[in-house]
Amino acid sequence: MLKEAKSLNQFYVIGVSYEKADVKTRGKFAFFDHLISSLVIESNLIGIQHLFVISTCNRTEIYFFAEEPDKMYEVYCKQVEGDVETFKQITFQKNGKDALEHLFRVSSGLESQILGDFEILGQIKIAFKKFKKAGSANAHLERFIDTAVRISKQIKNETSLSDGATSVSYAAVQYITHQFQNFKNKKITLFGTGKIGRNTCENLVKQTHNDQITLINRTNEKAVKLSDKLQVNQVDYKFLDKILNDSDIFIVSTGSSKPVIFKEMISTTKPLLLVDLSIPANVDADVKELPNVTLVNVDELSQTINQTLEDRQSQIPKVETIIRLNMWEFEEWLESRKFVPAIEAFRERMEFLAEFEKRKLEKKDIEISEKSLSTSLIQKMTNQFASYVMDSPEGEAEKTINLFNEIFHLELKQERK
């Protein structure tokens, strides 16, 4: 069993993203918070103790330390009830420095479906915090996340990769404003008040100046709180069907693991735009059979916001340079970590010698003072050094003396003749 991973070579990431799998396929392998405890337990049983999973609308990635990474495929698929062979076909696996660099690229927005989308950094921090609470973090993962945060801040400060920021929530509002000339008069309802829902609502308020925005949520208290903050309308969850059919635009972002809006719920014959911001899909695809309904999902939204991408593309070399420089610094830190056991052992040996000398002085009824203990320790350490040098072959003794000279800056005096 892997007790404490100390080698970067044992660090892995297994992931699936928009690059290789569509919305429906990604949804089959999405990870939810209620699975954290069981995944951690099952992973421990196969020797994987340090891990966390980030699951968003665009990607699901498992970061972990392991000696045998292949076992993670089966353990993960068991939790999400997905097919192992299908998962292997759509995933990528990276190891060591490549895995670490991938984490930094993802957290920096370089790997986002919408280039420069920094929402992913907050999602990574939250996911790691939850897994840490479940007992699956270690010092290395902590350092990885801290470094990812630092790199992202540096990129925001030194580049324009996030200028004209276009997240999924931003894309939804842009799509609406481009599709309707009179969007200010449209009845807009937002179902779900999670992070993406909140961001979407804020963007709606700022960009549309529409006074007919309504919030609805399974937990009414959350909707009331957000509606008070943003000064929008709010209705009780029990009126879901009614508000759905009263709306011109209905945005869904509940974070449910299955559809919550179905064809049978729609009775209106007027044009209705359904915007599904969730992975897995929260709107059943059957609604597209209705002639008055237009359904837009995450993948389609991402194709509507290319205005800022050209400028962002020009920032990629700067961003990659920042990541590369931080990788070099990080590798130096990892290199220094291999000396920690020796340094700790030296410190423990010094503490042992101090305690040993203290007890010797106590047995001799010598009054223990800082000066007497220091003198005794100095003599003890000098004797051990002298014994080692005198008992070593001449060449080795010379090396030892030179080493101590470099460490302690000894003032070697010439012996008088």
Side-chain angles (χ1 to χ4, degrees):
M1 203 175 225
L2 186 63
K3 294 182 179 178
E4 177 66 27
K6 295 181 180 179
S7 172
L8 184 58
N9 291 329
Q10 294 175 316
F11 182 55
Y12 291 87
V13 58
I14 294 173
V16 55
S17 75
Y18 67 92
E19 293 180 325
K20 204 171 180 180
D22 58 21
V23 172
K24 184 177 180 180
T25 305
R26 296 199 303 272
K28 292 178 180 178
F29 299 96
F31 188 82
F32 297 93
D33 289 351
H34 70 273
L35 299 172
I36 291 176
S37 179
S38 57
L39 177 62
V40 170
I41 292 171
E42 291 291 325
S43 297
N44 282 339
L45 293 176
I46 61 170
I48 298 177
Q49 297 178 325
H50 312 299
L51 74 152
F52 74 94
V53 179
I54 171 68
S55 190
T56 72
C57 58
N58 289 329
R59 67 183 64 252
T60 294
E61 296 182 346
I62 314 152
Y63 292 91
F64 60 101
F65 280 96
E67 292 176 338
E68 298 179 18
D70 291 347
K71 294 180 180 179
M72 179 54 80
Y73 288 92
E74 293 185 8
V75 170
Y76 182 80
C77 287
K78 178 182 176 182
Q79 300 303 311
V80 299
E81 298 181 353
D83 179 68
V84 177
E85 291 307 314
T86 301
F87 190 55
K88 287 182 177 180
Q89 289 173 11
I90 62 173
T91 54
F92 64 84
Q93 177 178 304
K94 295 179 184 289
N95 166 240
K97 294 178 182 178
D98 292 337
L100 183 58
E101 184 176 359
H102 178 77
L103 172 61
F104 294 160
R105 289 179 65 88
V106 169
S107 62
S108 299
L110 273 183
E111 299 297 327
S112 297
Q113 189 166 17
I114 302 170
L115 181 64
D117 182 0
F118 280 105
E119 280 189 8
I120 185 68
L121 177 63
Q123 293 166 328
I124 289 174
K125 289 165 64 178
I126 291 171
F128 176 72
K129 186 177 181 180
K130 290 176 179 177
F131 272 85
K132 180 181 178 180
K133 188 175 181 180
S136 67
N138 67 351
H140 282 67
L141 283 179
E142 289 259 21
R143 184 67 181 250
F144 292 174
I145 299 301
D146 289 345
T147 304
V149 171
R150 189 181 73 249
I151 290 173
S152 294
K153 288 180 178 178
Q154 186 178 352
I155 289 170
K156 285 182 180 180
N157 292 333
E158 298 180 13
T159 76
S160 56
L161 185 70
S162 61
D163 285 6
T166 52
S167 62
V168 171
S169 55
Y170 178 88
V173 178
Q174 287 292 297
Y175 182 88
I176 291 169
T177 56
H178 288 152
Q179 291 298 311
F180 300 94
Q181 290 184 342
N182 58 340
F183 57 83
K184 291 182 180 180
N185 301 319
K186 297 296 182 181
K187 293 181 180 178
I188 305 175
T189 300
L190 178 64
F191 181 19
T193 57
K195 183 172 183 180
I196 292 178
R198 293 195 304 272
N199 290 343
T200 303
C201 193
E202 288 178 1
N203 282 324
L204 281 169
V205 171
K206 292 176 183 177
Q207 297 182 48
T208 68
H209 302 291
N210 187 312
D211 59 3
Q212 299 186 81
I213 299 172
T214 302
L215 287 176
I216 187 169
N217 194 61
R218 288 192 186 90
T219 306
N220 290 320
E221 291 79 5
K222 292 182 179 180
V224 170
K225 186 176 181 180
L226 184 60
S227 67
D228 289 343
K229 177 184 177 182
L230 299 178
Q231 296 297 298
V232 296
N233 305 312
Q234 183 269 333
V235 298
D236 194 281
Y237 178 65
K238 64 184 178 182
F239 298 116
L240 175 61
D241 284 21
K242 183 179 186 305
I243 194 68
L244 170 63
N245 287 284
D246 284 346
S247 302
D248 298 304
I249 302 164
F250 195 87
I251 305 169
V252 187
S253 179
T254 70
S256 173
S257 59
K258 55 187 177 182
V260 294
I261 301 297
F262 298 91
K263 174 183 174 183
E264 296 75 23
M265 298 169 63
I266 301 173
S267 58
T268 184
T269 56
K270 69 177 181 179
L272 173 63
L273 171 63
L274 288 174
V275 182
D276 190 354
L277 304 182
S278 304
I279 294 292
N282 280 185
V283 180
D284 195 291
D286 288 350
V287 301
K288 290 190 288 187
E289 296 175 3
L290 298 172
N292 61 310
V293 174
T294 301
L295 174 62
V296 179
N297 64 24
V298 171
D299 287 349
E300 292 169 297
L301 284 174
S302 299
Q303 298 171 12
T304 69
I305 50 173
N306 296 320
Q307 301 94 304
T308 63
L309 290 183
E310 186 174 341
D311 289 338
R312 292 186 175 193
Q313 288 282 347
S314 69
Q315 297 298 301
I316 291 178
K318 293 181 184 178
V319 174
E320 290 181 333
T321 297
I322 290 173
I323 292 175
R324 186 163 55 250
L325 291 174
N326 277 276
M327 278 291 295
W328 289 343
E329 290 181 11
F330 203 87
E331 287 169 27
E332 288 180 1
W333 175 79
L334 287 173
E335 183 70 15
S336 69
R337 291 289 298 175
K338 71 182 182 182
F339 300 117
V340 170
I343 295 169
E344 285 295 311
F346 180 80
R347 181 184 59 79
E348 290 173 5
R349 178 64 178 170
M350 293 303 100
E351 290 175 350
F352 168 78
L353 288 176
E355 184 63 26
F356 181 77
E357 291 304 308
K358 181 180 177 183
R359 289 179 182 177
K360 276 178 61 178
L361 293 172
E362 287 174 343
K363 286 181 180 180
K364 294 179 180 179
D365 291 327
I366 298 174
E367 183 179 346
I368 300 174
S369 65
E370 187 176 333
K371 182 177 180 180
S372 62
L373 184 57
S374 296
T375 302
S376 182
L377 275 173
I378 290 170
Q379 189 59 51
K380 184 79 173 180
M381 294 170 66
T382 302
N383 290 343
Q384 287 197 4
F385 173 66
S387 176
Y388 180 83
V389 170
M390 288 187 288
D391 291 341
S392 298
E394 186 174 342
E396 292 299 318
E398 197 79 26
K399 290 180 182 178
T400 302
I401 292 171
N402 290 335
L403 176 61
F404 268 63
N405 185 27
E406 288 185 24
I407 296 173
F408 298 108
H409 306 291
L410 305 179
E411 293 184 9
L412 300 178
K413 299 177 181 179
Q414 294 294 327
E415 185 179 352
R416 293 181 180 178
K417 295 184 179 180

